[in-house]
Amino acid sequence: MKKALLLSGLLTASALWGVELTLKKAVDIAVKDNLQLQAERHKVQEKFYEYKAAKGYLFPQLSMDYFFMRTNQPPYSIMFRMNTHSLQFPRQRPPADPTNAQQVFYWTAMSFKGMEDYFNNPGSNQLYDLKLSLQVPIWMGGKVRNMVKGKYFEWKAQELLADRKAEEVAYNVSDTFLKVLYAKAAVKATETALKDVEHHLKVVQKMYRVGMALYSDLLRVKVYYESVKAKHTEAKNHLYVAKKALAFLLNKDWKPEEITVKGNLYCPSPQEVKKELSQLYRWAVNARKDLLALKEGITAVKYYKKATLGNYLPNFVAFGEYHLFDNYRVANFVANSYTVGVGFQWKLFDGLNAFNKAKMLKEKERELKTTLAFAQKGIDFQLTKAFKDFQTAYAKVVAADTEIKQAEETLKIVEARYKKGLARIVDLLDVQTRLDMARFEKVRSLYECNKAYLDLYNTAGKIWEVVKQ
């Protein structure tokens, strides 16, 4: 069976006075411009950049710092001088006679005393320090790689949820499109009813003028005519609102009177649809986007749990630093130094923090698995309900068709009898009421039939099989 939403019509074209839509055109516009879908695409990009940010921890980290420091703390003041290779101790005048032991001894003692005084009170010194730091992760206990994998599957899950949101938007647009067709058909039905009642009114007026009808007959027809006019106004208002809702879903500023929809409501037999139920169930269980997203989410949680348990393993890193120094001017470096090394860190006890986080993630995994199992079991019920609703709507369409044929035939007979004075106006209006109700029931049943058909494919995650063909 051809997977089309039972809507006929040509490809869309823009009219000079407005816009002309078929279902396919409406869905295409919604997929491109709907605000809900745009928000979902931004969510996907958020998860993508989270994944890219996590991958950054796999690469070396390079940073640059530039500091100006001034201090009179002896260790740091001396270190500032040593960094620029400008440390100088106080000089003592050399002995007058280098061969005189007493003079040499005194000079040596005073030199050490000067050094001691300098170390204890070197005065204030300053330093300009440009530092380049490099850290290279060698092995981080598997934390980083497992976290990156978790972010990857979280990103893919969000992509699948965005695809499911697109299906839901397509479903909502299709349902709203059907409501427009429903309202359009209801307007046509009320117009037909108005023509019938106007015809009855002319007949009664003619008969009243020749004395073959009572004035009360004329009043009854006029009252019924006004009730049909009210229904016609109601149907037109429903059409206006439905078109407004369609423009809203498409994110367009079209006025309802500018929108023309092409298509007709049509309902296939339940026998045709029943043949597809088993295939729809397989599609739903194996390919529905939100269920696939749950599976990806479960995989992501597993990797997050591994990353958390990695906190109990040591981290091995390599590191390096390079400094440029000066004591007096910015960017006029006169000395440099470097440091390189490797090391490891091992957190031996963290108050069971990582252990309890891993337990929490295990519970999250169980939650998602339970949700997935519930969703898979619920699909059978949802498909069954949609199919039964379809059968009910189809039965109503058949019954309404039969009722319309019978009411039309009865109306001809009663009208002929009324003209001969063999039937009352109440009998005529009763048959007309039955005919009008049958027409409205057929229109409503056709909408319900199409909606149930939509529900079948939307539940199965195959809405595009309906709206894109």
Side-chain angles (χ1 to χ4, degrees):
M1 172 183 173
K2 186 177 180 180
K3 309 294 191 302
L5 184 59
L6 325 172
L7 297 171
S8 61
L10 302 173
L11 295 176
T12 57
S14 295
L16 293 176
W17 51 270
V19 61
E20 193 172 84
L21 294 173
T22 61
L23 176 64
K24 183 179 183 301
K25 179 66 174 180
V27 171
D28 287 342
I29 294 174
V31 168
K32 179 182 178 183
D33 297 332
N34 181 268
L35 294 178
Q36 285 180 301
L37 287 185
Q38 292 180 25
E40 286 297 318
R41 294 185 187 109
H42 290 310
K43 287 182 182 179
V44 173
Q45 288 301 105
E46 287 175 21
K47 294 299 180 182
F48 172 71
Y49 287 116
E50 278 187 22
Y51 163 63
K52 298 291 284 185
K55 285 185 69 176
Y57 290 108
L58 294 171
F59 297 95
Q61 306 294 309
L62 179 64
S63 62
M64 182 179 73
D65 302 296
Y66 193 32
F67 297 101
F68 168 75
M69 296 168 283
R70 184 175 180 85
T71 184
N72 64 354
Q73 297 182 40
Y76 296 102
S77 180
I78 294 172
M79 183 179 66
F80 287 174
R81 285 293 181 179
M82 294 176 67
N83 284 337
T84 56
H85 305 166
S86 58
L87 179 63
Q88 292 183 350
F89 295 119
R91 305 293 185 185
Q92 297 292 331
R93 179 178 297 178
D97 184 5
T99 60
N100 188 317
Q102 185 177 1
Q103 292 183 15
V104 171
F105 178 79
Y106 178 78
W107 174 79
T108 303
M110 292 304 295
S111 295
F112 276 103
K113 180 65 171 60
M115 292 173 61
E116 182 181 284
D117 292 341
Y118 182 80
F119 273 113
N120 287 325
N121 186 21
S124 297
N125 280 301
Q126 64 188 35
L127 183 71
Y128 294 92
D129 180 6
L130 175 64
K131 180 177 72 172
L132 297 175
S133 301
L134 177 67
Q135 289 185 334
V136 182
I138 299 175
W139 189 69
M140 306 298 289
K143 292 190 296 292
V144 175
R145 291 193 178 276
N146 284 314
M147 182 182 67
V148 169
K149 289 178 180 178
K151 292 295 183 182
Y152 172 81
F153 284 104
E154 196 174 338
W155 165 42
K156 289 301 178 182
Q158 190 61 54
E159 277 190 335
L160 290 167
L161 288 175
D163 291 341
R164 181 58 183 168
K165 175 60 74 173
E167 292 175 352
E168 291 174 358
V169 168
Y171 169 80
N172 291 333
V173 170
S174 301
D175 184 36
T176 305
F177 191 92
L178 289 176
K179 288 177 179 176
V180 174
L181 291 177
Y182 171 31
K184 182 180 175 183
V187 170
K188 185 176 180 181
T190 55
E191 289 173 348
T192 303
L194 278 174
K195 290 179 182 178
D196 289 345
V197 179
E198 287 172 354
H199 171 71
H200 299 327
L201 184 59
K202 290 178 182 178
V203 170
V204 175
Q205 287 174 338
K206 182 178 179 181
M207 293 181 66
Y208 175 71
R209 284 195 297 268
V210 297
M212 293 181 64
L214 299 174
Y215 184 64
S216 60
D217 293 348
L218 184 60
L219 292 178
R220 283 192 176 95
V221 176
K222 286 183 177 180
V223 169
Y224 187 74
Y225 178 75
E226 291 301 322
S227 68
V228 175
K229 279 182 64 178
K231 286 187 176 293
H232 181 61
T233 301
E234 180 184 0
K236 289 195 296 183
N237 287 335
H238 286 167
L239 178 60
Y240 183 93
V241 172
K243 287 184 176 181
K244 189 74 174 178
L246 184 60
F248 169 72
L249 287 175
L250 302 186
N251 193 28
K252 298 298 181 182
D253 295 327
W254 299 327
K255 297 179 180 179
E257 55 269 18
E258 297 174 345
I259 300 174
T260 303
V261 296
K262 293 181 68 69
N264 296 300
L265 297 169
Y266 167 73
C267 196
S269 68
Q271 289 76 17
E272 294 179 78
V273 179
K274 190 174 183 179
K275 297 176 183 177
E276 303 170 5
L277 276 180
S278 59
Q279 179 63 38
L280 289 173
Y281 180 78
R282 287 194 295 271
W283 275 340
V285 172
N286 298 320
R288 211 170 87 168
K289 298 296 190 299
D290 51 345
L291 300 189
L292 294 178
L294 275 173
K295 294 177 181 178
E296 297 284 35
I298 291 170
T299 304
V301 169
K302 289 180 179 178
Y303 279 113
Y304 287 145
K305 185 175 64 175
K306 291 180 181 179
T308 302
L309 292 174
N311 286 313
Y312 289 121
L313 297 175
N315 302 329
F316 292 88
V317 296
F319 61 90
E321 291 183 358
Y322 182 74
H323 293 263
L324 292 171
F325 302 110
D326 190 77
N327 288 122
Y328 301 109
R329 286 179 291 178
V330 177
N332 184 43
F333 304 115
V334 297
N336 62 75
S337 68
Y338 72 90
T339 303
V340 294
V342 294
F344 81 96
Q345 295 175 318
W346 197 347
K347 187 180 290 186
L348 298 177
F349 183 71
D350 64 351
L352 298 179
N353 179 274
F355 175 78
N356 286 314
K357 283 185 178 179
K359 296 287 285 184
M360 178 272 291
L361 290 169
K362 183 62 179 179
E363 292 303 317
K364 183 66 176 179
E365 181 184 346
R366 289 170 179 162
E367 173 203 336
L368 293 178
K369 286 182 177 179
T370 304
T371 303
L372 177 61
F374 175 79
Q376 290 174 332
K377 289 182 178 180
I379 284 173
D380 183 59
F381 166 75
Q382 293 171 354
L383 288 175
T384 301
K385 181 181 181 300
F387 180 68
K388 291 302 179 182
D389 289 344
F390 180 84
Q391 286 181 317
T392 301
Y394 184 81
K396 288 181 179 180
V397 171
V398 174
D401 275 331
T402 304
E403 180 72 14
I404 289 172
K405 292 177 182 178
Q406 292 177 350
E408 287 175 343
E409 189 63 29
T410 304
L411 185 62
K412 292 178 183 178
I413 296 172
V414 173
E415 184 178 357
R417 287 173 61 83
Y418 178 76
K419 289 178 180 179
K420 296 177 182 180
L422 300 176
R424 300 173 301 167
I425 190 62
V426 175
D427 299 327
L428 180 63
L429 292 180
D430 180 60
V431 176
Q432 182 64 51
T433 302
R434 285 171 49 201
L435 177 59
D436 293 340
M437 290 178 63
R439 287 169 177 163
F440 296 142
E441 180 64 24
K442 180 180 179 180
V443 172
R444 181 170 59 251
S445 300
L446 281 171
Y447 163 72
E448 291 174 352
C449 185
N450 279 264
K451 187 176 185 304
Y453 191 82
L454 266 182
D455 289 340
L456 275 171
Y457 278 85
N458 186 52
T459 300
K462 288 292 183 178
I463 192 68
W464 305 117
E465 297 287 327
V466 173
V467 301
K468 285 294 188 180
Q469 295 190 18

